[in-house]
Structure formats: C-alpha cells, structure tokens
Amino acid sequence: MLVKINNVTFKNKDPFEIEKTKDQEEKINNLWTEFSKDKIDVFNGDIYTVTNISNIENDYILEIGKAKFADLIYSKKTNDLTIYSLFVSCLFKTKDNYYLVLRDKNNRPNLLGGMASSSDFINNEFIPRICLEREAKEELAISINDLNQVASYKQAFLKVPSTDEKMYPTGVVYIGELNLTKNELIEHFNTHKNELDHEIIDILFYTKDNYLDILKEENTREYIVEAINFLEN
C-alpha cells in the first residue's frame, strides 16, 4: 500500500540490532538451515529493516534496525517476529512520457531500486538519496546527479505494509523525470547491459493509457500501478 508523504524521517532503533530470545534464535537457525539447503545464491548477511512506523499529518517516522537475512525469512513465515526490509525505489518517466519499469531475472516487473545497504548510511544516519543513487548506477548505469540523464527527482510516497503484506518490504518511493526519451533509454540500456546488475534482464515502458497492463504480469508489484494512479488521477 502506498501513502503520500510530506516528509519522512529515519530513526535508529535503540539498540540498533534486532533483539531476539534464545527460543527465537533457535527457531531462526533451524528455519535458515532448511531454507538455504541446496541454495547456492543465498547468504545470511546483514540487512536493514523497518521495525515501527508512525506519522502525524503525513510526516512519517520510520524506526529502523539491523537484522540478519535469516531473521527476515523467519518474520515472513511467523507472527513471532515482525520486521520489514527497508528499500528505496523510483518511478521514472522518460522525456517523451513513458513510465519506466524494470524486469528482473525472475520475470517480475518492479521499479528501479533495492534494499538498503551499509553504504547508504552517513554518521549512522540512513540517507535514502544515497541508496537511490547507488541503485540507479547498478541497475541502469545512470547518475541521478547528471542533468543530461535525470532532470529531477523527489520523494513522493511511502510503501507501507497492509494487513496481508507481511512478505513485502517497506520504504520510500521517489518520482523522477529523465532527460532521455524511450528510444534513447533503450539504446543506453543495451549499450551498458553487460555492466548492470544481473538481476535486471529488461526494461519495460508504459503510458497513462496502458499502465494497468502491469497487473497482467506474473508476480507484479501492485504498488507500481498505485504510484502511477496517484500521478494520473
């Protein structure tokens, strides 16, 4: 579920690392052993999570902490621990009015963006712009600081979990205007494809007239349509 935001502030949980009981630790370890069995591309590394959300008149405060990937897997499968992975994404629009959507290696459409990383913190403060800058470079080989590529960008929405969305991440959704047309972006993508994050296999384009077709895609992210709805209606 998307909500419009006036401002979002990130507050570090104290203590910053997610606290778990010995019983939870044992259950998490057992589940991770089963989950990671025969998987060569999973790693129980540090992740950054949203542990609480509060707001006053659309000014949001996100409490964030550090956990392990195994904690998140456990959280998705039980009500015993509630955490949501922290992410940043951006709905970009081309110079000729096409909305940009990426297709990942699992054939799922999504916006440009990704999960928070330790490199997105300055003096222990999470800076979403840094996360967006990193993801734009990794996934599309563009710089949000280059006006020849990106005309503007701003925070617009917060993706928050609804009651049936325990599996999904929580975070900031930007909207941005590219200084590239659809065809220029396709050429740019094809030129740099071998340099990009291998999670991304293709780029898709939608207009105000056909963006509901995104819902026909398998395992689509419905918040993409929500974001475009806000902008077009």
Side-chain angles (χ1 to χ4, degrees):
M1 180 175 71
L2 282 189
V3 294
K4 289 184 177 180
I5 55 175
N6 294 326
N7 184 53
V8 58
T9 303
F10 296 90
K11 175 186 175 182
N12 289 349
K13 179 182 173 296
D14 185 17
F16 191 51
E17 293 196 11
I18 302 300
E19 297 173 291
K20 295 159 287 187
T21 66
K22 289 184 177 180
D23 182 59
Q24 285 175 323
E25 289 277 13
E26 183 177 350
K27 290 177 179 178
I28 289 168
N29 289 336
N30 290 339
L31 179 61
W32 178 256
T33 299
E34 181 64 27
F35 173 81
S36 60
K37 184 172 58 179
D38 301 326
K39 291 185 175 71
I40 61 173
D41 59 346
V42 296
F43 171 65
N44 189 23
D46 291 339
I47 63 167
Y48 296 91
T49 66
V50 176
T51 56
N52 188 58
I53 302 172
S54 58
N55 82 90
I56 301 175
E57 297 180 349
N58 289 340
D59 285 344
Y60 282 81
I61 299 174
L62 269 62
E63 182 185 74
I64 61 175
K66 185 168 72 171
K68 291 292 187 181
F69 186 51
D71 300 334
L72 181 64
I73 298 301
Y74 179 74
S75 174
K76 289 178 179 181
K77 295 181 177 294
T78 176
N79 292 322
D80 188 37
L81 182 68
T82 300
I83 55 175
Y84 302 92
S85 56
L86 173 63
F87 82 101
V88 173
S89 68
C90 185
L91 173 61
F92 277 115
K93 197 174 189 180
T94 66
K95 199 173 182 178
D96 48 349
N97 296 318
Y98 287 88
Y99 290 106
L100 170 67
V101 176
L102 308 185
R103 187 185 296 283
D104 69 21
K105 67 179 183 180
N106 295 314
N107 209 35
R108 294 176 301 195
N110 208 342
L111 297 183
L112 181 149
M115 292 174 63
S117 163
S118 60
S119 62
D120 304 327
F121 287 76
I122 294 180
N123 295 327
N124 296 320
E125 179 184 358
F126 177 65
I127 310 295
R129 175 188 55 78
I130 296 177
C131 184
L132 177 61
E133 183 176 6
R134 175 175 54 79
E135 293 291 343
K137 182 178 180 180
E138 291 176 359
E139 296 186 344
L140 208 56
I142 62 173
S143 170
I144 61 174
N145 302 312
D146 184 348
L147 289 175
N148 291 317
Q149 296 180 330
V150 178
S152 64
Y153 61 94
K154 65 179 182 179
Q155 294 180 6
F157 310 111
L158 188 65
K159 170 73 173 62
V160 297
S162 60
T163 55
D164 61 344
E165 287 188 316
K166 191 165 177 59
M167 290 183 64
Y168 296 108
T170 295
V172 177
V173 180
Y174 285 76
I175 56 174
E177 299 283 341
L178 294 171
N179 254 334
L180 300 168
T181 64
K182 171 186 173 181
N183 288 338
E184 287 171 339
L185 192 56
I186 291 172
E187 182 179 358
H188 175 87
F189 178 79
N190 289 332
T191 299
H192 296 277
K193 195 169 185 177
N194 291 335
E195 309 165 21
L196 303 179
D197 185 336
H198 295 308
E199 292 285 326
I200 307 303
I201 63 170
D202 201 4
I203 52 177
L204 312 173
F205 297 92
Y206 294 91
T207 68
K208 64 180 182 179
D209 299 318
N210 72 349
Y211 71 90
L212 291 177
D213 289 346
I214 298 171
L215 295 175
K216 299 176 183 177
E217 293 275 353
E218 185 177 357
N219 297 320
T220 194
R221 305 298 196 206
E222 292 185 5
Y223 85 98
I224 304 172
V225 171
E226 285 186 77
I228 299 175
N229 267 334
F230 272 121
L231 299 179
E232 294 293 344
N233 297 303

